[in-house]
Amino acid sequence: MVSDPSGAGKSSALNTTIRVIFFILALVSGAVMAYGGVKLIALGGSWYYLLAGVAYIILAILFLRKNARAATLSTAVFVLTVIWSLYEVKALIYWDLLPRLVVPALLFLLSLLIPATQKNAAPACRRWAGLGAGGVFVALIATLIAAFFPHGEIHNAPAATSTDLNVPSEEASNAEQDWRFISRSASGTRYVPLNQITPENVNQLKVAWTYHTGRRLTGPAIGVDENTPIQIGAVLYTCTPENKIAAVNADTGKAIWEFDPHARTLEHVTCRSVGYYDYDQDDSLSAEQKAAYTAATCRQRIIVTTVDARLLALDAHSGQLCENFGQNGIVNLQNGIGDTANSRRYHPSSVPVIMGHLTVFGTWIRDVTLDEPSGVLRAYDVRDGSLAWAWDVGAIEGLNHTPGQYTLSTPNVWAIPTFDKQLNQVYVATGNGPPDYWGGDRNAAKEKYGSSVIAIDASTGKTNWVYQTVHHDIWDYDLPSQPVMYPMKNEQGEVVPALIQTSKMGEIFVLDRRTGKPVSKVEERPVPTSPAGKDERLSPTQPFSVDMPTIGLEKLNEQKMWGMTTFDQLYCRILFKSALYSGIYQPNSEQTYLEYPATMGGMNWGGVTINEKTGMLFVNDIRLGMLMALKTKEQAKGQEASLNEVPQWAGTIRPQIAGPYVGVRMDNFASFLQVPCQHPPFGTMTAINLNTKQIAWQVPAGTVEDTGPLGVKTHLPIPVGMPTLGGPTATQSGLLFFAGTQDNYLRAIDQNTGKTVWKARLPQGATATPLIYRSPATGKEYVVISAGGAAHSPDVGDSLIAYALP
């Protein structure tokens, strides 16, 4: 190649245009990379960005001056970038290589087009530059196409085809059984022993009917639709976030009756399901007790908790309040709880679980101050609304409390309880005692019962055993999901009645339901304890479930930082290196620290499903981090920390009014494009063989079709794997139905392979879990999803949609 200082043989207009474009892009890119590179080096990070930034600035000048060595230097810069990228990633991992190579490849392409379009360049030089540019262009097109295929899948041993536990499944014995609990059965497995819809015919599913719930779609605090209806015979019972209840014909979707309690609150507005009670099927009552009930109504009743802290009983056939329950069908749940700010600080968040003639349900508490309402767990008689027992851990531990009032600010139960009829126990998963992120003055009740799985006598409320999954929890790692009953082998090879509990840490704990002792090995391992907040006292060890797989629980480092481009990846590297981080259980601090997994999980409230016939467990997860920092009153000046929990965590101070602090600053661990900083996937679906305790497969969950950078929809079905809420449902026929992704689809997944074999576009996304039943009237099998909007999406709706085969 020959430089042309005299200006003879001027380049074409195209060559000039490309040269100017390259100059601008290379100069800007180089300046940004050099500036960020200096900051990253100061934090102890990679030197690549500074060196590459300087190189691009030099390249910009050389190409502007038409220097003969510019193309050679550009080639060297790109080759060295490829070598550096492969060295950092240490494998051909698509999503990890993408931000490292695409911007350099585009700049390299432009740099090759300059000599390729330069008229006075040597023919050989133009030819080779043209071939090189063509090759880079083809590689970029191939890279774009590859984005539409899943990456990072795990496929190990084939999924189990039958369980070797030889324990008969109660569910499998009666395929016509109702979907009576939120997870179908009291066990919580969400297993459907039906096989009308199969992997072979699922692609024929069509919309059978749509029911519009009439939920409020505009205004403040409209809530999140997390509703899974229950099915009793040929009727579904459904609820909206503000507890509007409806009975719907299971074959037509037509409303039989509707009841609106006009429930309102300002925070955490949701209804996950309702409870169902039938006098005639209650074997906890004698024949005489059943016969003693002679009223014409409410022999079968729907039990409802509301977001304004009421307990209701409705006649299952008419939707009218049961006048013989509480006061005209209503029990006020705020009595003795403390200051609820008209239910804003306290209300039920789980589902009324029916235990014979009693019901128990968990409650949400705003975890802000030391005088939050009580986390007491209460059971009520579904016949008359009378209080059966109260599980108040403050009273159990002998703490002082106001007469006539339950102990304030105790660990609560916001997840769904599980009733074990055989052992007459209810299993609850607790939160940590308020406030969430500082625990320097926590009392004995909070330390013992926080973030624990607990077995309680279902008749008396007496504590039978306690197993803690996080000691002195200052990460908001409260247990979010329903404990699930399923028999498993212990370390001695004996089949025992087990309880499976997922966690926000990505850990899966398996306990013996009789004793609370681990069935699957758990080790107490040392964790960091400093630097920590003032007057904090952290546990030196935490329990790790070492025999069961952990999902998404990897220790991050600078090389695992991600971005859609070189620039936001550099930004995320700087964020990471600027924060305190030593892995999971990073201590809280006044300095910015990274919590990963963060408060969303890991696993969240959707829980798991288990194919009881094969022993395969399926679970979806979330992989997000938060940047946090404790704030004193002085440090929080300019942003008031009130008693109200902030509506959006990111970029705010969440009140934590305790000890020396008034709050905790919380920011998404994300780039300036609001894309998570750690590498994809950001959410997966995983199959675990409970016989071997090994992952069978893991696939990214969902695409960016209905979301994207800065919240702008891409409309591109790129399967990055997005954060998920809601849960999956497994069928005997080998299908897994799931809709809790960030795109607007209901999917059917092959249980053996993890491959999506069918999907249906929804009018809005879904945060709920699918319901599957067979109508006793027509024999037709239905898949129903409440499509009220994906989690944190601005698109909301009120559709309850049923799918069936033609």
Side-chain angles (χ1 to χ4, degrees):
M1 210 180 334
V2 180
S3 62
D4 187 14
S6 67
K10 292 182 179 179
S11 300
S12 66
L14 176 60
N15 180 265
T16 301
T17 301
I18 295 172
R19 194 181 298 272
V20 170
I21 292 173
F22 177 82
F23 172 76
I24 295 171
L25 293 179
L27 188 66
V28 172
S29 298
V32 171
M33 293 173 70
Y35 174 76
V38 170
K39 297 186 72 171
L40 186 59
I41 290 170
L43 295 167
S46 172
W47 280 70
Y48 165 78
Y49 295 92
L50 173 60
L51 298 175
V54 171
Y56 283 124
I57 293 171
I58 294 172
L59 281 173
I61 296 170
L62 291 177
F63 273 107
L64 186 66
R65 298 179 62 182
K66 303 180 182 178
N67 189 285
R69 297 183 179 88
T72 302
L73 179 59
S74 178
T75 302
V77 170
F78 183 69
V79 170
L80 289 173
T81 294
V82 172
I83 293 172
W84 167 78
S85 300
L86 292 173
Y87 171 77
E88 277 217 323
V89 176
K90 295 181 172 56
L92 295 176
I93 301 175
Y94 177 85
W95 290 118
D96 286 20
L97 291 172
L98 186 78
R100 290 171 167 86
L101 292 177
V102 168
V103 168
L106 286 169
L107 290 170
F108 183 44
L109 172 63
L110 285 172
S111 75
L112 291 175
L113 287 175
I114 293 172
T117 58
Q118 187 172 328
K119 289 184 177 180
N120 63 344
C125 179
R126 291 182 63 185
R127 182 171 62 254
W128 284 110
L131 288 172
V136 174
F137 179 76
V138 169
L140 286 169
I141 294 298
T143 299
L144 176 62
I145 294 172
F148 293 87
F149 295 86
H151 300 278
E153 294 185 335
I154 297 173
H155 293 279
N156 294 323
T161 55
S162 62
T163 181
D164 61 356
L165 296 176
N166 295 318
V167 176
S169 168
E170 177 185 347
E171 293 289 305
S173 66
N174 186 2
E176 302 298 335
Q177 184 175 328
D178 297 335
W179 187 296
R180 193 168 288 246
F181 297 83
I182 184 174
S183 296
R184 191 174 188 274
S185 68
S187 65
T189 60
R190 215 179 296 130
Y191 169 65
V192 183
L194 300 176
N195 52 24
Q196 190 178 104
I197 301 171
T198 68
E200 290 72 33
N201 65 21
V202 67
N203 60 354
Q204 300 177 40
L205 283 180
K206 303 293 182 185
V207 173
W209 52 257
T210 300
Y211 167 72
H212 293 283
T213 65
R215 66 172 285 207
R216 186 166 59 91
L217 300 178
T218 59
I222 59 173
V224 180
D225 183 359
E226 299 175 341
N227 164 53
T228 298
I230 61 172
Q231 170 253 333
I232 308 297
V235 181
L236 303 187
Y237 297 95
T238 184
C239 64
T240 70
E242 293 180 314
N243 308 114
K244 182 180 178 181
I245 312 301
V248 178
N249 184 289
D251 284 296
T252 67
K254 302 295 184 183
I256 299 169
W257 55 256
E258 296 177 337
F259 175 84
D260 189 350
H262 302 288
R264 298 287 186 273
T265 193
L266 293 177
E267 295 180 31
H268 202 274
V269 183
T270 192
C271 176
R272 292 183 177 137
S273 196
V274 299
Y276 176 81
Y277 175 72
D278 188 339
Y279 264 95
D280 298 323
Q281 295 184 11
D282 183 359
D283 56 12
S284 71
L285 300 179
S286 65
E288 291 76 13
Q289 286 175 307
K290 294 178 183 179
Y293 186 80
T294 58
T297 60
C298 292
R299 194 164 190 90
Q300 290 79 35
R301 52 186 65 187
I302 302 300
I303 307 300
V304 181
T305 56
T306 66
V307 293
D308 58 359
R310 291 178 286 163
L311 177 64
L312 314 179
L314 308 175
D315 180 88
H317 305 290
S318 69
Q320 299 297 309
L321 287 167
C322 298
E323 294 184 357
N324 53 11
F325 181 88
Q327 294 186 348
N328 298 317
I330 302 172
V331 172
N332 182 0
L333 297 176
Q334 298 187 52
N335 294 332
I337 292 297
D339 180 11
T340 70
N342 293 322
S343 80
R344 183 172 188 170
R345 299 173 69 185
Y346 167 95
H347 55 256
S349 60
S350 75
V351 179
V353 174
I354 307 302
M355 311 181 299
H357 60 280
L358 302 182
T359 184
V360 66
F361 45 86
T363 52
W364 173 85
I365 293 175
R366 186 174 43 194
D367 298 328
V368 169
T369 74
L370 293 174
D371 64 347
E372 294 291 1
S374 178
V376 61
L377 183 76
R378 291 172 289 180
Y380 291 86
D381 194 313
V382 294
R383 298 171 297 176
D384 58 14
S386 61
L387 180 68
W389 51 258
W391 185 74
D392 179 356
V393 296
I396 293 171
E397 293 301 309
L399 303 178
N400 294 325
H401 58 87
T402 305
Q405 181 172 285
Y406 300 110
T407 313
L408 297 181
S409 195
T410 50
N412 64 318
V413 178
W414 66 269
I416 301 162
T418 300
F419 174 51
D420 184 341
K421 184 176 180 180
Q422 181 182 7
L423 297 178
N424 194 39
Q425 293 185 143
V426 57
Y427 306 108
V428 297
T430 65
N432 49 338
D436 285 327
Y437 298 102
W438 183 82
D441 59 0
R442 286 186 182 162
N443 57 38
K446 292 182 182 181
E447 295 289 35
K448 179 177 179 179
Y449 297 98
S451 300
S452 299
V453 185
I454 300 168
I456 301 170
D457 187 288
S459 300
T460 66
K462 176 180 176 293
T463 304
N464 288 343
W465 53 256
V466 179
Y467 185 85
Q468 190 166 68
T469 60
V470 184
H471 307 319
H472 191 76
D473 181 4
I474 47 93
W475 302 274
D476 198 19
Y477 282 161
D478 46 0
L479 289 172
S481 57
Q482 179 182 16
V484 177
M485 301 189 297
Y486 186 74
M488 283 183 65
K489 290 182 179 178
N490 61 17
E491 292 185 74
Q492 291 73 42
E494 304 166 325
V495 176
V496 299
L499 192 71
I500 300 170
Q501 178 67 59
T502 59
S503 71
K504 289 182 178 180
M505 303 86 72
E507 300 267 4
I508 303 173
F509 293 89
V510 183
L511 308 174
D512 189 317
R513 303 203 306 263
R514 300 165 298 184
T515 63
K517 303 297 183 183
V519 171
S520 184
K521 187 177 180 181
V522 176
E523 291 181 356
E524 287 283 338
R525 293 180 174 176
V527 293
T529 56
S530 66
K534 291 188 182 82
D535 304 323
E536 189 58 273
R537 44 188 175 88
L538 300 182
S539 171
T541 65
Q542 293 290 351
F544 288 83
S545 181
V546 295
D547 278 354
M548 289 294 290
T550 56
I551 309 299
L553 180 57
E554 66 172 339
K555 187 172 182 179
L556 301 179
N557 56 34
E558 183 193 338
Q559 289 71 35
K560 292 175 182 175
M561 295 304 100
W562 197 72
M564 294 187 63
T565 68
T566 299
F567 312 113
D568 53 324
Q569 184 179 48
L570 171 57
Y571 178 86
C572 283
R573 285 178 180 247
I574 294 170
L575 280 184
F576 177 78
K577 297 296 288 187
S578 300
L580 297 175
Y581 177 73
S582 51
I584 191 170
Y585 302 117
Q586 164 64 43
N588 58 7
S589 174
E590 292 175 29
Q591 301 178 61
T592 298
Y593 64 97
L594 172 60
E595 181 177 308
Y596 181 85
T599 182
M600 292 294 290
M603 291 77 141
N604 210 287
W605 67 268
V608 307
T609 182
I610 299 174
N611 185 323
E612 296 182 3
K613 202 171 177 61
T614 64
M616 294 297 298
L617 176 149
F618 306 94
V619 60
N620 55 293
D621 72 304
I622 299 170
R623 303 182 189 187
L624 295 174
M626 295 290 292
L627 293 171
M628 309 177 66
L630 293 170
K631 298 294 181 181
T632 63
K633 185 176 181 179
E634 183 68 23
Q635 294 166 338
K637 278 185 177 178
Q639 191 165 2
E640 180 183 2
S642 72
L643 293 181
N644 295 330
E645 187 171 321
V646 292
Q648 295 293 333
W649 291 338
T652 62
I653 293 182
R654 184 183 182 190
Q656 292 287 281
I657 303 172
Y661 300 107
V662 297
V664 57
R665 169 80 185 196
M666 304 182 75
D667 291 279
N668 289 327
F669 185 48
S671 74
F672 49 78
L673 297 177
Q674 288 306 299
V675 173
C677 272
Q678 84 284 348
H679 59 175
F682 311 126
T684 68
M685 181 67 72
T686 302
I688 299 172
N689 187 329
L690 292 178
N691 299 311
T692 63
K693 301 177 184 174
Q694 299 295 316
I695 290 177
W697 53 257
Q698 183 177 94
V699 297
T703 72
V704 294
E705 183 171 348
D706 295 293
T707 186
L710 301 175
V712 178
K713 296 180 181 181
T714 68
H715 302 289
L716 300 173
I718 299 174
V720 175
M722 301 297 286
T724 61
L725 283 170
T729 301
T731 70
Q732 186 183 63
S733 65
L735 290 171
L736 190 70
F737 286 91
F738 182 61
T741 56
Q742 294 296 304
D743 54 3
N744 301 349
Y745 287 98
L746 170 65
R747 288 176 169 86
I749 301 169
D750 189 309
Q751 291 180 20
N752 289 320
T753 64
K755 179 183 178 182
T756 296
V757 292
W758 171 84
K759 65 180 181 180
R761 184 75 174 163
L762 302 172
Q764 288 84 29
T767 309
T769 299
L771 155 76
I772 303 171
Y773 63 93
R774 181 181 294 164
S775 166
T778 64
K780 183 172 285 192
E781 192 173 316
Y782 293 91
V783 181
V784 175
I785 187 67
S786 192
H792 310 295
S793 169
D795 300 329
V796 296
D798 71 340
S799 300
L800 185 70
I801 307 173
Y803 296 84
L805 296 173

